[in-house]
Amino acid sequence: MTILIHSETKMVVQGLGRDGSFQASKCKSYGTPIVSAVHPGRGGLYFEDSVPIFDSVEESVDTTGANLGLIFVPAPFALDAIIEQVDSGIENIVCITEGIPVQDMTKVMSYIEGKKVRLIGPNCPGFICPKENFKAGIIPSEIVSSGPVGVVSRSGTLTYEAIVQLTNLGIGQSACIGIGGDPIHGTSFVDTLRMFEEDNDTKIIVMIGEIGGLREQHAAEYIKSNVSKPVVACIVGQTAPSGRRMGHAGAIVTGKSALAQEKIKVLKSSGAIIAESPTEIGYVIKEILK
Amino acid sequence: MTILIHSETKMVVQGLGRDGSFQASKCKSYGTPIVSAVHPGRGGLYFEDSVPIFDSVEESVDTTGANLGLIFVPAPFALDAIIEQVDSGIENIVCITEGIPVQDMTKVMSYIEGKKVRLIGPNCPGFICPKENFKAGIIPSEIVSSGPVGVVSRSGTLTYEAIVQLTNLGIGQSACIGIGGDPIHGTSFVDTLRMFEEDNDTKIIVMIGEIGGLREQHAAEYIKSNVSKPVVACIVGQTAPSGRRMGHAGAIVTGKSALAQEKIKVLKSSGAIIAESPTEIGYVIKEILK
Amino acid sequence: MQIHEFQAKNIFKEYGIPVPEGEIANNPQEAISVMEKLNSKVVVKAQVHSGGRGKVGGVKLAENSDDVFRFSSEMIGRKLVTNQTAGNGLPVNKVLIEKVTEIETELYLAVTMDYESGSPVVIISTEGGMEIETIAEKNPEKILKIFGDPLLELLPYKIRKLFEKLNIEPSLYKQFSSIILKVYKIFVEKDCSLIEINPLVISNEKFIALDAKISIEEDALFRQTKIQDLFDSTQIDPLELEALKYDLSYVKLYDGDVGCMVNGAGLAMATMDITVKAGTKPANFLDVGGSADQNKIKKAFEIITEDSDVKVILVNLFGGILRCDIAAQGIIEALKDKKEYPSIIGVFRGTNSEEAKRILTDSKIKLIFAEDLIDAAKKIKEIE
Amino acid sequence: MQIHEFQAKNIFKEYGIPVPEGEIANNPQEAISVMEKLNSKVVVKAQVHSGGRGKVGGVKLAENSDDVFRFSSEMIGRKLVTNQTAGNGLPVNKVLIEKVTEIETELYLAVTMDYESGSPVVIISTEGGMEIETIAEKNPEKILKIFGDPLLELLPYKIRKLFEKLNIEPSLYKQFSSIILKVYKIFVEKDCSLIEINPLVISNEKFIALDAKISIEEDALFRQTKIQDLFDSTQIDPLELEALKYDLSYVKLYDGDVGCMVNGAGLAMATMDITVKAGTKPANFLDVGGSADQNKIKKAFEIITEDSDVKVILVNLFGGILRCDIAAQGIIEALKDKKEYPSIIGVFRGTNSEEAKRILTDSKIKLIFAEDLIDAAKKIKEIE
């Protein structure tokens, strides 16, 4: 088993709207053990004729033993959903939802501080473990393949870009995880690096960062003293102007340290191998694996 | 060393108003190591010519290494003071203040949950350890004497009543602690029983409870399965009418379990020895010690 | 601190919680005008700080203006004695005149502080209109609860869970959730100790708060300045009112005759217990507090002596910050101009207690000293 | 979302934060009436969504009505270009006329979200009137910070600590603390991303907010309905405004000529980077989002083609929920009635990408396909 899951991991999907249903279906057909879904008002019904739907997470956990939650509920209700999952004892929560108000996320983060719970996201594509055919999120399973590379990224489609390159070059992935584009978020680069470092299936790590914040700097510090495996890092947004938000709420240059160049510099000095552009990630990895 | 203190315990007193100054002075003359005081606007001055006063708890901790806080600030500012102490890393906090709004206390309790901090009170007389000449609070040192009895109570003057009886009968105390009369409070009977059970200097425990809440019930459960030392328990408020608050915000009969008789019943069945009235505590203890 | 139903309903309106149309009336004439304005059958509700009004004629249905005149005449100016009032009942100074509401479903809704969890708790029951204590005893399974978190707003998922157990038309969820959130908000923002809506009814697919009870936590009144103005001194025993002014913790007990004056709540309770052990009954609980001065002691002692029920006075002071000699001066002051007063038994211990005894002995006050509470109990018995 | 200074000051007033006496004027005549009403020398302040107005004539002191007429005439109807505006500057539609304030002390005060700690942070500096970036560079030690807690109100002890470092008259503490608490309250209650008062001045022993800037977090606008009404579309680039309507994440860049249309923010940034690597410059950032439909793609493509700076268009789509064939239809729709348009390079991968290529090939649109971003970069070079 690779990171984040174990043989007893059972997923509950919360929020069966258009995207939620579509993506849950994809996760299920990929092989993910979805034991239940939660959608208020649809309790008693079944998702795809086989997965029981509950009105509340608590009922779902009590009845099906779900221990990993995947959240698709719209932004205005996301704080409620995340805390409902925390209060119900879910230990790993993946929140795909985009556009959650920052203050809601600061409350969530303060609330879970000290509690035994891991939040991935929000505004992220979730994660996928090809070897175990386990997918909690929206990363297209068609592009992944099983292998030694752990991929972590702040972005969604950009991650796919990297995965496609790897797969096309015949290089598989141990796990791919998107930690999300919001400035206030759960699992960090550092958390993921730690997991990949400890994971036997992962031999090499790809980290795709971007402008804004200090996440990459924290990662660099961690890599320097704690990561023995090779890390290939790439930072996008080198051409983004200062003070304008590049889509992701977290992708905004607000000071020197938020610049791509600055991040590349510290990552380089931490021992990470820099891929100048995401288009080069595959080739850099191939070179290392030679 | 008995409960709550160790050889490196250093006290900071916060709030040098009329009562705070008076009581801090009493603690000091009793022998308590008061290393600093906090009173905004008086930073740089000295309390009783020797104890440095700081404007903030943080400065006080940084400069003097204080690790036990005694709070006398008025109720409207008590939440602020307690959290200031918590944020400054004080590990044991005694809050004497009476009349703190319940909602402020619920916030404080939620805030410290999971943090490495112990709060005693509020609305309590604090504690005194006769053998170590250590007093953090307002229990008159004139009435205590060193010996084998650990005293814990929800009340102030009633505790003194019990202490005087013991001292007059030649029976000393290992420590006396008042956990306070408010319904939302820090250290509980159970916490104190645990400390007394673990403390070598304590041979016998006196527990003075009152009407209202379920604290004595929790204590009874704990006594039953975890306390090997004799516990002499007394409950006051047997004659209090239902629905009226007897001074202490927590001393109000709101249901059957809040009644004195009910509490006496469960304590009795837990193995505690019941003193029918606080006036009998001394004699009951004397009998046991024979 | 309690406030009146109409005041609570005004707060409800401010927060957008639906209440029946209505207005307050200070006399029967006003009651008639309100009824005319409402142009409907009305309910006349006596405004006193007590529940259980319905059973004792404090709530009446008026079909016409004759009714409304008669009922409000009967209520205003009288005292209402309910199963919740102590002593001689509470005076009715105003009546609330409200449009009659058709009731489809009755619920009980309350928010209070749960001391065990340290969180506000929302309590709901489908047995609206009944007293919650009765439901708790007979149908405890019909009482549903959700707990707030002191550091977070009340989360919708908890309200949804509650709603699902109530068997109410799903289309009413939005209204329901909005009312719960608003009641909870009032509870938090106004530092309440209790908000009770009994019954909360459904009428023509709309939730309406038919009754409203709000109690504010005394310790938080300092920051609830608007609520302070709603204080109605007529709803409080005059002696308790006097005690309140002097920040004395005093509770009048209506079936005893031993007046107690003590410092410290625990010791005060113990003192009451002792009087009962002595075969008598306490006339009050009175805690003068940890650091009472001479004036406060004087006032406290006056309150006890003014209570005509009191036949014996038991003073039990344990000097700490409070100095016994100062307290003795306060007692002497209180009795200065009194020719007659009940027998007094005094226990003085701690700071300056000897001095206190000397001062009292030197004064001409008749006071029997006791060594401690046991001794005091003995001496009470001797007197009675 | 930004709002105007006068709107921010209205919110300040609502919360009890002192601001100079003043009123808004839509034309020079109104400006004169306001000055007459204020009966004082005034400051005329151009209302645009930008700081740095003072240095470019957007803030002027008027001694008399001639001045006020002249200054407001000069400002209203013109565009103001500051060091913070992009493109051709921002139109001035209103001026704020305020009584002149005597300044004793100038402070800088801001509340914003600190992403590192995940808490709101209060920033203060004694270097009021200067831009915070400049202070941060030259005198970082003069910037003081305290952090809030997302689950608690801002605690007084933190404000006290801040105040003690400022060397301000202790008698002003109460005012200071009240202003900090109120600004913090606005920040929390209005879901702000930034509140800036620069300068916050002391004048005759009173704190006054001379300037006011409030930005609201876009993601929270759905629950800030009152703030939504303050939106001023004239202060936004027309293309960005158009994008906003269709919920497209679009940023106009003023020095490039390669229009980019991408799905996903990270991939969009990478696409921009690639255009630079190819020796050109992006004309925009544009993320159509994860699940754009045909209409949204059409609109996005129209926005790019409407930008006269754009010489080449680079489309980079990675089909997921988004289907490439649907996107292709959107592009075709957008170009349907256009005779001339820039060269287009298209990278289509993922869901239904082959179908997309077929559809586009079948259409009469001139579009060069590229295999991936590297290939696309090569082809951009070839074109330019």
Side-chain angles (χ1 to χ4, degrees), chain A residues 217-230:
Chain A
Q217 278 83 342
H218 297 313
E221 265 176 60
Y222 190 79
I223 290 169
K224 203 169 197 168
S225 37
N226 297 286
V227 181
S228 64
K229 300 176 182 178

Side-chain angles (χ1 to χ4, degrees), chain A residues 160-203:
Chain A
Y160 313 162
E161 168 79 40
I163 298 172
V164 163
Q165 284 174 39
L166 291 169
T167 296
N168 286 348
L169 291 168
I171 306 165
Q173 304 88 43
S174 57
C176 308
I177 170 171
I179 59 171
D182 278 2
I184 308 283
H185 57 104
T187 296
S188 64
F189 275 136
V190 170
D191 297 329
T192 316
L193 288 168
R194 184 185 304 119
M195 290 188 278
F196 279 139
E197 174 71 14
E198 286 166 6
D199 171 41
N200 289 331
D201 288 343
T202 304
K203 306 296 177 208

Side-chain angles (χ1 to χ4, degrees), chain B:
Chain B
M1 283 290 157
T2 180
I3 64 168
L4 291 165
I5 54 168
H6 52 74
S7 61
E8 295 303 312
T9 301
K10 295 174 195 169
M11 189 157 94
V12 51
V13 178
Q14 186 168 12
L16 291 177
R18 194 192 60 170
D19 289 356
S21 299
F22 179 83
Q23 295 292 347
S25 177
K26 292 268 187 184
C27 291
K28 188 164 170 280
S29 62
Y30 184 55
T32 314
I34 302 184
V35 295
S36 54
V38 173
H39 198 103
R42 294 199 210 157
L45 303 178
Y46 287 84
F47 173 66
E48 298 206 335
D49 300 332
S50 61
V51 178
I53 305 177
F54 297 91
D55 285 324
S56 76
V57 178
E58 192 186 29
E59 283 175 85
S60 142
V61 169
D62 288 352
T63 313
T64 68
N67 49 19
L68 185 148
L70 179 60
I71 296 178
F72 288 106
V73 305
F77 316 108
L79 170 132
D80 187 47
I82 297 173
I83 294 188
E84 182 178 4
Q85 295 219 353
V86 175
D87 288 351
S88 304
I90 302 267
E91 283 173 21
N92 283 290
I93 301 169
V94 179
C95 184
I96 306 299
T97 312
E98 191 182 335
I100 302 177
V102 170
Q103 295 208 14
D104 286 5
M105 276 316 297
T106 61
K107 284 183 188 168
V108 166
M109 294 310 293
S110 289
Y111 186 77
I112 67 176
E113 200 187 309
K115 292 196 172 69
K116 211 196 146 209
V117 63
R118 169 187 301 285
L119 173 67
I120 298 173
N123 190 17
C124 80
F127 70 89
I128 188 165
C129 304
K131 194 170 124 192
E132 291 82 4
N133 273 28
F134 195 111
K135 167 170 147 172
I138 62 174
I139 297 176
S141 57
E142 300 79 16
I143 59 173
V144 302
S145 52
S146 180
V149 182
V151 179
V152 55
S153 167
R154 276 167 75 173
S155 162
T157 45
L158 184 55
T159 319
Y160 313 162
E161 167 80 38
I163 297 171
V164 162
Q165 284 174 38
L166 291 170
T167 296
N168 285 348
L169 290 168
I171 306 165
Q173 304 89 42
S174 57
C176 307
I177 171 171
I179 60 171
D182 278 3
I184 308 283
H185 57 104
T187 297
S188 64
F189 275 137
V190 169
D191 297 328
T192 316
L193 288 168
R194 184 184 304 117
M195 290 188 277
F196 279 139
E197 175 71 13
E198 287 167 4
D199 171 41
N200 289 332
D201 288 342
T202 304
K203 306 295 177 207
I204 186 164
I205 303 164
V206 170
M207 182 187 127
I208 306 170
E210 56 192 41
I211 51 164
L214 292 170
R215 299 199 225 185
E216 290 76 10
Q217 279 83 341
H218 297 313
E221 266 176 61
Y222 190 80
I223 291 168
K224 203 169 197 168
S225 37
N226 297 286
V227 181
S228 63
K229 300 176 183 178
V231 177
V232 174
C234 171
I235 305 290
V236 300
Q238 305 181 27
T239 56
S242 165
R244 311 294 305 272
R245 167 179 161 174
M246 297 289 110
H248 286 161
I252 177 167
V253 174
T254 49
K256 200 184 159 215
S257 55
L259 288 168
Q261 297 87 292
E262 197 59 30
K263 291 174 184 245
I264 290 170
K265 203 176 84 187
V266 294
L267 279 165
K268 207 173 261 175
S269 77
S270 80
I273 302 138
I274 304 298
E276 285 299 326
S277 150
T279 56
E280 293 168 24
I281 291 173
Y283 303 103
V284 174
I285 298 271
K286 201 175 176 186
E287 203 59 35
I288 296 170
L289 287 177
K290 250 184 207 167

Side-chain angles (χ1 to χ4, degrees), chain C residues 96-341:
Chain C
L96 177 61
I97 310 291
E98 285 186 334
K99 245 188 190 168
V100 170
T101 306
E102 262 180 65
I103 299 176
E104 286 155 26
T105 307
E106 282 187 291
L107 299 170
Y108 170 95
L109 171 65
V111 182
T112 185
M113 188 58 78
D114 178 64
Y115 293 146
E116 280 301 299
S117 64
S119 313
V121 57
V122 178
I123 302 169
I124 206 155
S125 167
T126 46
E127 305 292 293
M130 278 172 74
E131 280 178 33
I132 191 71
E133 293 80 9
T134 316
I135 313 171
E137 206 173 292
K138 295 192 181 153
N139 295 94
E141 78 286 353
K142 296 226 165 151
I143 295 178
L144 305 171
K145 292 180 179 182
I146 53 172
F147 294 88
D149 182 303
L151 299 180
L152 277 179
E153 59 266 52
L154 184 64
L155 293 176
Y157 88 83
K158 297 180 180 176
I159 302 174
R160 235 163 31 224
K161 272 190 189 174
L162 203 59
F163 186 75
E164 276 152 14
K165 290 179 188 147
L166 288 176
N167 265 319
I168 295 172
E169 185 62 40
S171 64
L172 295 178
Y173 174 66
K174 229 175 152 177
Q175 274 186 56
F176 177 81
S177 140
S178 150
I179 287 175
I180 303 281
L181 285 172
K182 283 166 183 168
V183 173
Y184 191 88
K185 201 170 181 216
I186 296 174
F187 183 84
V188 170
E189 290 186 349
K190 303 283 183 197
D191 276 306
C192 299
S193 51
L194 174 70
I195 302 181
E196 202 178 52
I197 307 181
N198 191 17
L200 171 68
V201 304
I202 303 175
S203 174
N204 294 316
E205 312 218 318
K206 289 219 158 57
F207 278 97
I208 301 177
L210 271 209
D211 198 3
K213 181 179 175 181
I214 295 184
S215 302
I216 313 296
E217 201 216 332
E218 319 274 343
D219 284 341
L221 271 177
F222 70 87
R223 62 185 175 201
Q224 296 294 344
T225 43
K226 272 192 202 160
I227 299 274
Q228 284 171 23
D229 299 340
L230 305 182
F231 180 69
D232 181 354
S233 61
T234 69
Q235 302 293 308
I236 293 186
D237 177 280
L239 291 179
E240 289 188 2
L241 185 64
E242 201 62 17
L244 210 58
K245 281 187 201 155
Y246 287 82
D247 198 22
L248 292 161
S249 186
Y250 172 82
V251 178
K252 167 82 186 125
L253 304 171
Y254 289 89
D255 56 355
D257 57 8
V258 181
C260 302
M261 182 173 88
V262 191
N263 65 328
L267 195 58
M269 279 187 269
T271 306
M272 285 162 61
D273 290 352
I274 280 285
T275 67
V276 172
K277 280 237 163 69
T280 62
K281 274 190 168 177
N284 65 276
F285 166 94
L286 173 55
D287 169 15
V288 297
S291 54
D293 59 14
Q294 183 174 328
N295 196 36
K296 206 165 164 182
I297 297 282
K298 172 174 176 265
K299 197 69 218 175
F301 205 80
E302 278 172 3
I303 286 169
I304 297 177
T305 48
E306 274 162 33
D307 181 354
S308 55
D309 294 343
V310 168
K311 301 282 174 288
V312 186
I313 295 175
L314 173 51
V315 176
N316 184 13
L317 298 178
F318 208 116
I321 311 183
L322 171 80
R323 282 168 50 189
C324 287
D325 56 334
I326 299 284
Q329 302 282 13
I331 295 172
I332 292 169
E333 275 291 308
L335 293 177
K336 206 170 53 181
D337 301 327
K338 291 240 159 94
K339 290 195 179 127
E340 280 187 29
Y341 47 86

Side-chain angles (χ1 to χ4, degrees), chain A residues 18-19 22-23 26 72 138 140 160, chain D residues 263 290-292 318-324 326 351:
Chain A
R18 192 192 61 170
D19 289 357
F22 178 84
Q23 296 293 348
K26 292 268 187 186
F72 288 106
I138 62 175
Y160 313 162
Chain D
N263 65 327
S291 56
F318 208 116
I321 311 183
L322 172 80
R323 283 166 52 186
C324 287
I326 299 283
T351 314

